[in-house]
PDB file of all heavy atoms in Angstrom:
ATOM      1  N   THR A 145      11.094   4.176  20.348  1.00 97.00           N
ATOM      2  CA  THR A 145      11.379   3.528  19.057  1.00 97.00           C
ATOM      3  C   THR A 145      11.032   4.365  17.836  1.00 97.00           C
ATOM      4  O   THR A 145      11.902   4.539  16.910  1.00 97.00           O
ATOM      5  CB  THR A 145      10.616   2.104  18.981  1.00 97.00           C
ATOM      6  OG1 THR A 145      11.057   1.374  20.128  1.00 97.00           O
ATOM      7  CG2 THR A 145      10.966   1.391  17.748  1.00 97.00           C
ATOM      8  N   VAL A 168       3.668   0.165   8.062  1.00 99.00           N
ATOM      9  CA  VAL A 168       2.947  -1.054   8.206  1.00 99.00           C
ATOM     10  C   VAL A 168       2.924  -1.438   9.679  1.00 99.00           C
ATOM     11  O   VAL A 168       3.967  -1.686  10.252  1.00 99.00           O
ATOM     12  CB  VAL A 168       3.576  -2.173   7.337  1.00 99.00           C
ATOM     13  CG1 VAL A 168       2.693  -3.407   7.392  1.00 99.00           C
ATOM     14  CG2 VAL A 168       3.857  -1.735   5.948  1.00 99.00           C
ATOM     15  N   GLY A 169       1.716  -1.435  10.307  1.00 98.00           N
ATOM     16  CA  GLY A 169       1.561  -1.623  11.719  1.00 98.00           C
ATOM     17  C   GLY A 169       0.947  -0.452  12.338  1.00 98.00           C
ATOM     18  O   GLY A 169       1.200   0.699  11.916  1.00 98.00           O
ATOM     19  N   ARG A 170       0.042  -0.674  13.275  1.00 98.00           N
ATOM     20  CA  ARG A 170      -0.604   0.474  13.941  1.00 98.00           C
ATOM     21  C   ARG A 170      -0.688   0.281  15.492  1.00 98.00           C
ATOM     22  O   ARG A 170      -1.677   0.636  16.157  1.00 98.00           O
ATOM     23  CB  ARG A 170      -2.068   0.597  13.405  1.00 98.00           C
ATOM     24  CG  ARG A 170      -2.916  -0.677  13.620  1.00 98.00           C
ATOM     25  CD  ARG A 170      -4.340  -0.524  13.165  1.00 98.00           C
ATOM     26  NE  ARG A 170      -4.969  -1.768  13.024  1.00 98.00           N
ATOM     27  CZ  ARG A 170      -6.278  -1.916  12.724  1.00 98.00           C
ATOM     28  NH1 ARG A 170      -6.998  -0.866  12.420  1.00 98.00           N
ATOM     29  NH2 ARG A 170      -6.816  -3.132  12.609  1.00 98.00           N
ATOM     30  N   SER A 171       0.350  -0.304  16.061  1.00 97.00           N
ATOM     31  CA  SER A 171       0.402  -0.445  17.478  1.00 97.00           C
ATOM     32  C   SER A 171       0.542   0.941  18.182  1.00 97.00           C
ATOM     33  O   SER A 171       1.078   1.910  17.549  1.00 97.00           O
ATOM     34  CB  SER A 171       1.523  -1.374  17.924  1.00 97.00           C
ATOM     35  OG  SER A 171       2.746  -0.739  17.738  1.00 97.00           O
ATOM     36  N   ILE A 172       0.186   0.929  19.493  1.00 94.00           N
ATOM     37  CA  ILE A 172       0.342   2.153  20.252  1.00 94.00           C
ATOM     38  C   ILE A 172       1.822   2.440  20.492  1.00 94.00           C
ATOM     39  O   ILE A 172       2.255   3.622  20.514  1.00 94.00           O
ATOM     40  CB  ILE A 172      -0.371   2.010  21.640  1.00 94.00           C
ATOM     41  CG1 ILE A 172      -1.892   1.974  21.361  1.00 94.00           C
ATOM     42  CG2 ILE A 172      -0.073   3.135  22.549  1.00 94.00           C
ATOM     43  CD1 ILE A 172      -2.786   1.538  22.502  1.00 94.00           C
ATOM     44  N   LEU A 173       2.557   1.411  20.590  1.00 94.00           N
ATOM     45  CA  LEU A 173       4.011   1.473  20.850  1.00 94.00           C
ATOM     46  C   LEU A 173       4.800   2.024  19.717  1.00 94.00           C
ATOM     47  O   LEU A 173       5.725   2.850  19.843  1.00 94.00           O
ATOM     48  CB  LEU A 173       4.566   0.126  21.271  1.00 94.00           C
ATOM     49  CG  LEU A 173       5.895  -0.005  21.908  1.00 94.00           C
ATOM     50  CD1 LEU A 173       5.964   0.720  23.239  1.00 94.00           C
ATOM     51  CD2 LEU A 173       6.250  -1.492  22.150  1.00 94.00           C
ATOM     52  N   VAL A 174       4.485   1.561  18.484  1.00 97.00           N
ATOM     53  CA  VAL A 174       5.352   1.866  17.334  1.00 97.00           C
ATOM     54  C   VAL A 174       4.555   2.529  16.182  1.00 97.00           C
ATOM     55  O   VAL A 174       4.741   3.683  15.816  1.00 97.00           O
ATOM     56  CB  VAL A 174       6.094   0.679  16.800  1.00 97.00           C
ATOM     57  CG1 VAL A 174       7.088   1.125  15.700  1.00 97.00           C
ATOM     58  CG2 VAL A 174       6.753  -0.117  17.893  1.00 97.00           C
ATOM     59  N   GLY A 175       3.583   1.814  15.577  1.00 98.00           N
ATOM     60  CA  GLY A 175       2.929   2.222  14.383  1.00 98.00           C
ATOM     61  C   GLY A 175       2.259   3.586  14.464  1.00 98.00           C
ATOM     62  O   GLY A 175       2.513   4.469  13.616  1.00 98.00           O
ATOM     63  N   CYS A 192      -0.891   1.166   7.387  1.00 98.00           N
ATOM     64  CA  CYS A 192      -1.461  -0.184   7.026  1.00 98.00           C
ATOM     65  C   CYS A 192      -1.564  -1.094   8.283  1.00 98.00           C
ATOM     66  O   CYS A 192      -0.876  -0.829   9.280  1.00 98.00           O
ATOM     67  CB  CYS A 192      -0.510  -0.820   6.016  1.00 98.00           C
ATOM     68  SG  CYS A 192      -0.331   0.107   4.540  1.00 98.00           S
ATOM     69  N   HIS A 193      -2.392  -2.138   8.122  1.00 98.00           N
ATOM     70  CA  HIS A 193      -2.539  -3.065   9.243  1.00 98.00           C
ATOM     71  C   HIS A 193      -3.038  -4.384   8.678  1.00 98.00           C
ATOM     72  O   HIS A 193      -2.993  -4.575   7.472  1.00 98.00           O
ATOM     73  CB  HIS A 193      -3.599  -2.436  10.266  1.00 98.00           C
ATOM     74  CG  HIS A 193      -4.764  -1.835   9.624  1.00 98.00           C
ATOM     75  ND1 HIS A 193      -5.797  -2.645   9.086  1.00 98.00           N
ATOM     76  CD2 HIS A 193      -5.063  -0.567   9.305  1.00 98.00           C
ATOM     77  CE1 HIS A 193      -6.668  -1.802   8.533  1.00 98.00           C
ATOM     78  NE2 HIS A 193      -6.237  -0.570   8.628  1.00 98.00           N
ATOM     79  N   SER A 194      -3.507  -5.230   9.532  1.00 98.00           N
ATOM     80  CA  SER A 194      -3.765  -6.620   9.113  1.00 98.00           C
ATOM     81  C   SER A 194      -4.977  -6.706   8.122  1.00 98.00           C
ATOM     82  O   SER A 194      -5.193  -7.660   7.435  1.00 98.00           O
ATOM     83  CB  SER A 194      -3.996  -7.562  10.288  1.00 98.00           C
ATOM     84  OG  SER A 194      -5.134  -7.190  11.024  1.00 98.00           O
ATOM     85  N   ARG A 195      -5.828  -5.693   8.094  1.00 98.00           N
ATOM     86  CA  ARG A 195      -6.957  -5.700   7.218  1.00 98.00           C
ATOM     87  C   ARG A 195      -6.768  -4.833   5.969  1.00 98.00           C
ATOM     88  O   ARG A 195      -7.731  -4.654   5.203  1.00 98.00           O
ATOM     89  CB  ARG A 195      -8.260  -5.205   7.844  1.00 98.00           C
ATOM     90  CG  ARG A 195      -8.467  -5.538   9.325  1.00 98.00           C
ATOM     91  CD  ARG A 195      -8.731  -7.016   9.559  1.00 98.00           C
ATOM     92  NE  ARG A 195      -8.411  -7.273  10.904  1.00 98.00           N
ATOM     93  CZ  ARG A 195      -9.223  -7.059  11.966  1.00 98.00           C
ATOM     94  NH1 ARG A 195     -10.401  -6.536  11.731  1.00 98.00           N
ATOM     95  NH2 ARG A 195      -8.800  -7.227  13.267  1.00 98.00           N
ATOM     96  N   THR A 196      -5.597  -4.362   5.782  1.00 98.00           N
ATOM     97  CA  THR A 196      -5.334  -3.554   4.549  1.00 98.00           C
ATOM     98  C   THR A 196      -5.440  -4.361   3.325  1.00 98.00           C
ATOM     99  O   THR A 196      -4.930  -5.440   3.208  1.00 98.00           O
ATOM    100  CB  THR A 196      -3.879  -2.925   4.649  1.00 98.00           C
ATOM    101  OG1 THR A 196      -3.839  -2.069   5.724  1.00 98.00           O
ATOM    102  CG2 THR A 196      -3.473  -2.157   3.378  1.00 98.00           C
ATOM    103  N   LEU A 199      -1.820  -5.022   0.304  1.00 98.00           N
ATOM    104  CA  LEU A 199      -0.641  -4.391   1.029  1.00 98.00           C
ATOM    105  C   LEU A 199       0.537  -4.171   0.029  1.00 98.00           C
ATOM    106  O   LEU A 199       1.091  -3.054   0.083  1.00 98.00           O
ATOM    107  CB  LEU A 199      -0.239  -5.252   2.196  1.00 98.00           C
ATOM    108  CG  LEU A 199       0.950  -4.742   3.023  1.00 98.00           C
ATOM    109  CD1 LEU A 199       0.523  -3.485   3.798  1.00 98.00           C
ATOM    110  CD2 LEU A 199       1.461  -5.842   3.979  1.00 98.00           C
ATOM    111  N   ALA A 211       8.384  -0.780   8.575  1.00 98.00           N
ATOM    112  CA  ALA A 211       7.699  -2.032   8.822  1.00 98.00           C
ATOM    113  C   ALA A 211       7.786  -2.272  10.260  1.00 98.00           C
ATOM    114  O   ALA A 211       8.826  -2.421  10.886  1.00 98.00           O
ATOM    115  CB  ALA A 211       8.447  -3.155   8.035  1.00 98.00           C
ATOM    116  N   ALA A 212       6.603  -2.400  10.950  1.00 98.00           N
ATOM    117  CA  ALA A 212       6.515  -2.613  12.372  1.00 98.00           C
ATOM    118  C   ALA A 212       5.381  -3.618  12.612  1.00 98.00           C
ATOM    119  O   ALA A 212       4.297  -3.237  13.100  1.00 98.00           O
ATOM    120  CB  ALA A 212       6.291  -1.306  13.108  1.00 98.00           C
ATOM    121  N   VAL A 213       5.640  -4.855  12.252  1.00 98.00           N
ATOM    122  CA  VAL A 213       4.568  -5.914  12.241  1.00 98.00           C
ATOM    123  C   VAL A 213       4.956  -7.040  13.220  1.00 98.00           C
ATOM    124  O   VAL A 213       4.121  -7.415  14.017  1.00 98.00           O
ATOM    125  CB  VAL A 213       4.412  -6.508  10.805  1.00 98.00           C
ATOM    126  CG1 VAL A 213       3.401  -7.565  10.810  1.00 98.00           C
ATOM    127  CG2 VAL A 213       3.966  -5.382   9.861  1.00 98.00           C
ATOM    128  N   GLY A 214       6.135  -7.551  13.143  1.00 97.00           N
ATOM    129  CA  GLY A 214       6.477  -8.715  13.920  1.00 97.00           C
ATOM    130  C   GLY A 214       6.284  -9.999  13.087  1.00 97.00           C
ATOM    131  O   GLY A 214       5.879 -11.057  13.648  1.00 97.00           O
ATOM    132  N   SER A 215       6.586  -9.940  11.793  1.00 98.00           N
ATOM    133  CA  SER A 215       6.412 -11.123  10.901  1.00 98.00           C
ATOM    134  C   SER A 215       7.675 -11.206  10.036  1.00 98.00           C
ATOM    135  O   SER A 215       7.967 -10.318   9.258  1.00 98.00           O
ATOM    136  CB  SER A 215       5.258 -10.887  10.008  1.00 98.00           C
ATOM    137  OG  SER A 215       4.995 -11.943   9.084  1.00 98.00           O
ATOM    138  N   MET A 218       8.469 -10.365   5.894  1.00 98.00           N
ATOM    139  CA  MET A 218       7.216 -10.284   5.164  1.00 98.00           C
ATOM    140  C   MET A 218       7.312  -9.201   4.039  1.00 98.00           C
ATOM    141  O   MET A 218       6.469  -9.303   3.043  1.00 98.00           O
ATOM    142  CB  MET A 218       6.048 -10.029   6.054  1.00 98.00           C
ATOM    143  CG  MET A 218       5.975  -8.584   6.680  1.00 98.00           C
ATOM    144  SD  MET A 218       4.451  -8.214   7.442  1.00 98.00           S
ATOM    145  CE  MET A 218       3.372  -8.036   6.036  1.00 98.00           C
ATOM    146  N   ASP A 232      13.239  -0.860   9.227  1.00 98.00           N
ATOM    147  CA  ASP A 232      12.760  -2.171   9.650  1.00 98.00           C
ATOM    148  C   ASP A 232      12.739  -2.269  11.187  1.00 98.00           C
ATOM    149  O   ASP A 232      13.757  -2.352  11.817  1.00 98.00           O
ATOM    150  CB  ASP A 232      13.688  -3.316   9.083  1.00 98.00           C
ATOM    151  CG  ASP A 232      13.055  -4.660   9.329  1.00 98.00           C
ATOM    152  OD1 ASP A 232      12.032  -4.823  10.048  1.00 98.00           O
ATOM    153  OD2 ASP A 232      13.663  -5.684   8.709  1.00 98.00           O
ATOM    154  N   VAL A 233      11.509  -2.148  11.789  1.00 98.00           N
ATOM    155  CA  VAL A 233      11.417  -2.168  13.290  1.00 98.00           C
ATOM    156  C   VAL A 233      11.329  -3.566  13.725  1.00 98.00           C
ATOM    157  O   VAL A 233      11.664  -3.884  14.974  1.00 98.00           O
ATOM    158  CB  VAL A 233      10.213  -1.347  13.714  1.00 98.00           C
ATOM    159  CG1 VAL A 233      10.059  -1.227  15.211  1.00 98.00           C
ATOM    160  CG2 VAL A 233      10.186   0.053  13.097  1.00 98.00           C
ATOM    161  N   GLY A 234      10.922  -4.487  12.981  1.00 97.00           N
ATOM    162  CA  GLY A 234      10.667  -5.878  13.407  1.00 97.00           C
ATOM    163  C   GLY A 234      11.825  -6.555  14.063  1.00 97.00           C
ATOM    164  O   GLY A 234      13.018  -6.387  13.615  1.00 97.00           O
ATOM    165  N   LEU A 235      11.544  -7.300  15.108  1.00 95.00           N
ATOM    166  CA  LEU A 235      12.555  -8.137  15.747  1.00 95.00           C
ATOM    167  C   LEU A 235      11.953  -9.594  15.844  1.00 95.00           C
ATOM    168  O   LEU A 235      11.042  -9.686  16.698  1.00 95.00           O
ATOM    169  CB  LEU A 235      12.813  -7.601  17.130  1.00 95.00           C
ATOM    170  CG  LEU A 235      13.730  -6.362  17.296  1.00 95.00           C
ATOM    171  CD1 LEU A 235      13.879  -6.026  18.782  1.00 95.00           C
ATOM    172  CD2 LEU A 235      15.079  -6.563  16.631  1.00 95.00           C
ATOM    173  N   ASN A 236      12.418 -10.470  15.075  1.00 96.00           N
ATOM    174  CA  ASN A 236      11.817 -11.850  15.066  1.00 96.00           C
ATOM    175  C   ASN A 236      12.880 -12.830  15.304  1.00 96.00           C
ATOM    176  O   ASN A 236      13.908 -12.860  14.550  1.00 96.00           O
ATOM    177  CB  ASN A 236      11.151 -12.037  13.702  1.00 96.00           C
ATOM    178  CG  ASN A 236      10.106 -10.977  13.341  1.00 96.00           C
ATOM    179  OD1 ASN A 236       9.111 -10.838  13.982  1.00 96.00           O
ATOM    180  ND2 ASN A 236      10.496 -10.166  12.315  1.00 96.00           N
ATOM    181  N   ASP A 245      11.358  -7.510   9.750  1.00 98.00           N
ATOM    182  CA  ASP A 245      10.073  -7.773   8.989  1.00 98.00           C
ATOM    183  C   ASP A 245      10.394  -7.643   7.486  1.00 98.00           C
ATOM    184  O   ASP A 245       9.518  -7.831   6.682  1.00 98.00           O
ATOM    185  CB  ASP A 245       9.045  -6.700   9.384  1.00 98.00           C
ATOM    186  CG  ASP A 245       8.511  -6.918  10.734  1.00 98.00           C
ATOM    187  OD1 ASP A 245       8.673  -8.010  11.350  1.00 98.00           O
ATOM    188  OD2 ASP A 245       7.845  -5.961  11.263  1.00 98.00           O
ATOM    189  N   VAL A 265      17.227  -0.215  14.120  1.00 97.00           N
ATOM    190  CA  VAL A 265      16.356   0.466  14.993  1.00 97.00           C
ATOM    191  C   VAL A 265      16.542   0.039  16.441  1.00 97.00           C
ATOM    192  O   VAL A 265      16.483   0.911  17.353  1.00 97.00           O
ATOM    193  CB  VAL A 265      14.871   0.102  14.572  1.00 97.00           C
ATOM    194  CG1 VAL A 265      13.907   0.718  15.566  1.00 97.00           C
ATOM    195  CG2 VAL A 265      14.640   0.641  13.194  1.00 97.00           C
ATOM    196  N   GLY A 266      16.831  -1.232  16.686  1.00 93.00           N
ATOM    197  CA  GLY A 266      16.940  -1.699  18.095  1.00 93.00           C
ATOM    198  C   GLY A 266      17.978  -0.882  18.921  1.00 93.00           C
ATOM    199  O   GLY A 266      17.815  -0.638  20.109  1.00 93.00           O
ATOM    200  N   GLN A 267      18.995  -0.391  18.224  1.00 90.00           N
ATOM    201  CA  GLN A 267      20.065   0.329  18.906  1.00 90.00           C
ATOM    202  C   GLN A 267      19.566   1.690  19.385  1.00 90.00           C
ATOM    203  O   GLN A 267      20.072   2.295  20.262  1.00 90.00           O
ATOM    204  CB  GLN A 267      21.191   0.641  17.898  1.00 90.00           C
ATOM    205  CG  GLN A 267      21.886  -0.655  17.391  1.00 90.00           C
ATOM    206  CD  GLN A 267      22.722  -1.266  18.546  1.00 90.00           C
ATOM    207  OE1 GLN A 267      23.439  -0.557  19.253  1.00 90.00           O
ATOM    208  NE2 GLN A 267      22.622  -2.555  18.687  1.00 90.00           N
ATOM    209  N   THR A 269      16.439   2.586  20.404  1.00 95.00           N
ATOM    210  CA  THR A 269      15.399   2.706  21.403  1.00 95.00           C
ATOM    211  C   THR A 269      15.979   3.126  22.779  1.00 95.00           C
ATOM    212  O   THR A 269      15.454   4.021  23.389  1.00 95.00           O
ATOM    213  CB  THR A 269      14.627   1.348  21.493  1.00 95.00           C
ATOM    214  OG1 THR A 269      14.100   1.045  20.195  1.00 95.00           O
ATOM    215  CG2 THR A 269      13.545   1.348  22.466  1.00 95.00           C
TER     216      THR A 269
HETATM  217  P1  NAP B 301       2.061  -5.328  17.626  1.00 59.67           P
HETATM  218  O1  NAP B 301       1.482  -4.567  18.746  1.00 59.67           O
HETATM  219  O2  NAP B 301       1.910  -6.834  17.553  1.00 59.67           O
HETATM  220  O3  NAP B 301       1.489  -4.679  16.283  1.00 59.67           O
HETATM  221  C1  NAP B 301       1.705  -5.326  15.014  1.00 59.67           C
HETATM  222  C2  NAP B 301       0.928  -4.591  13.964  1.00 59.67           C
HETATM  223  O4  NAP B 301       1.186  -5.207  12.714  1.00 59.67           O
HETATM  224  C3  NAP B 301      -0.573  -4.509  14.176  1.00 59.67           C
HETATM  225  O5  NAP B 301      -1.077  -3.145  13.985  1.00 59.67           O
HETATM  226  C4  NAP B 301      -1.159  -5.446  13.142  1.00 59.67           C
HETATM  227  O6  NAP B 301      -2.375  -5.094  12.574  1.00 59.67           O
HETATM  228  C5  NAP B 301      -0.118  -5.342  12.017  1.00 59.67           C
HETATM  229  N1  NAP B 301      -0.079  -6.523  11.209  1.00 59.67           N
HETATM  230  C6  NAP B 301      -0.074  -7.891  11.618  1.00 59.67           C
HETATM  231  N2  NAP B 301      -0.087  -8.682  10.491  1.00 59.67           N
HETATM  232  C7  NAP B 301      -0.039  -7.886   9.423  1.00 59.67           C
HETATM  233  C8  NAP B 301      -0.078  -8.196   8.082  1.00 59.67           C
HETATM  234  N3  NAP B 301      -0.120  -9.397   7.579  1.00 59.67           N
HETATM  235  N4  NAP B 301      -0.161  -7.118   7.217  1.00 59.67           N
HETATM  236  C9  NAP B 301      -0.174  -5.855   7.680  1.00 59.67           C
HETATM  237  N5  NAP B 301      -0.098  -5.544   9.004  1.00 59.67           N
HETATM  238  C10 NAP B 301      -0.071  -6.524   9.876  1.00 59.67           C
HETATM  239  O7  NAP B 301       3.651  -5.100  17.462  1.00 59.67           O
HETATM  240  P2  NAP B 301       4.549  -3.899  17.834  1.00 59.67           P
HETATM  241  O8  NAP B 301       4.726  -3.689  19.253  1.00 59.67           O
HETATM  242  O9  NAP B 301       4.155  -2.658  17.059  1.00 59.67           O
HETATM  243  O10 NAP B 301       5.970  -4.428  17.271  1.00 59.67           O
HETATM  244  C11 NAP B 301       6.132  -4.710  15.965  1.00 59.67           C
HETATM  245  C12 NAP B 301       7.556  -5.367  15.718  1.00 59.67           C
HETATM  246  O11 NAP B 301       8.536  -4.380  16.119  1.00 59.67           O
HETATM  247  C13 NAP B 301       7.809  -6.606  16.567  1.00 59.67           C
HETATM  248  O12 NAP B 301       8.600  -7.523  15.859  1.00 59.67           O
HETATM  249  C14 NAP B 301       8.499  -6.050  17.741  1.00 59.67           C
HETATM  250  O13 NAP B 301       9.365  -7.035  18.361  1.00 59.67           O
HETATM  251  C15 NAP B 301       9.331  -4.995  17.121  1.00 59.67           C
HETATM  252  N6  NAP B 301       9.735  -3.903  18.028  1.00 59.67           N
HETATM  253  C16 NAP B 301      11.045  -3.563  18.000  1.00 59.67           C
HETATM  254  C17 NAP B 301      11.497  -2.524  18.810  1.00 59.67           C
HETATM  255  C18 NAP B 301      12.983  -2.156  18.724  1.00 59.67           C
HETATM  256  O14 NAP B 301      13.522  -1.572  19.632  1.00 59.67           O
HETATM  257  N7  NAP B 301      13.621  -2.476  17.606  1.00 59.67           N
HETATM  258  C19 NAP B 301      10.646  -1.841  19.675  1.00 59.67           C
HETATM  259  C20 NAP B 301       9.281  -2.246  19.673  1.00 59.67           C
HETATM  260  C21 NAP B 301       8.908  -3.227  18.800  1.00 59.67           C
HETATM  261  P3  NAP B 301      -3.810  -5.059  13.449  1.00 59.67           P
HETATM  262  O15 NAP B 301      -3.712  -3.791  14.245  1.00 59.67           O
HETATM  263  O16 NAP B 301      -4.788  -5.038  12.385  1.00 59.67           O
HETATM  264  O17 NAP B 301      -3.738  -6.284  14.313  1.00 59.67           O
END
Side-chain angles (χ1 to χ4, degrees):
T145 301
V168 189
R170 59 174 165 180
S171 69
I172 291 169
L173 193 63
V174 189
C192 302
H193 44 76
S194 63
R195 323 290 160 81
T196 295
L199 182 68
V213 177
S215 177
M218 71 167 286
D232 188 353
V233 184
L235 284 179
N236 307 291
D245 288 345
V265 175
Q267 297 289 317
T269 300

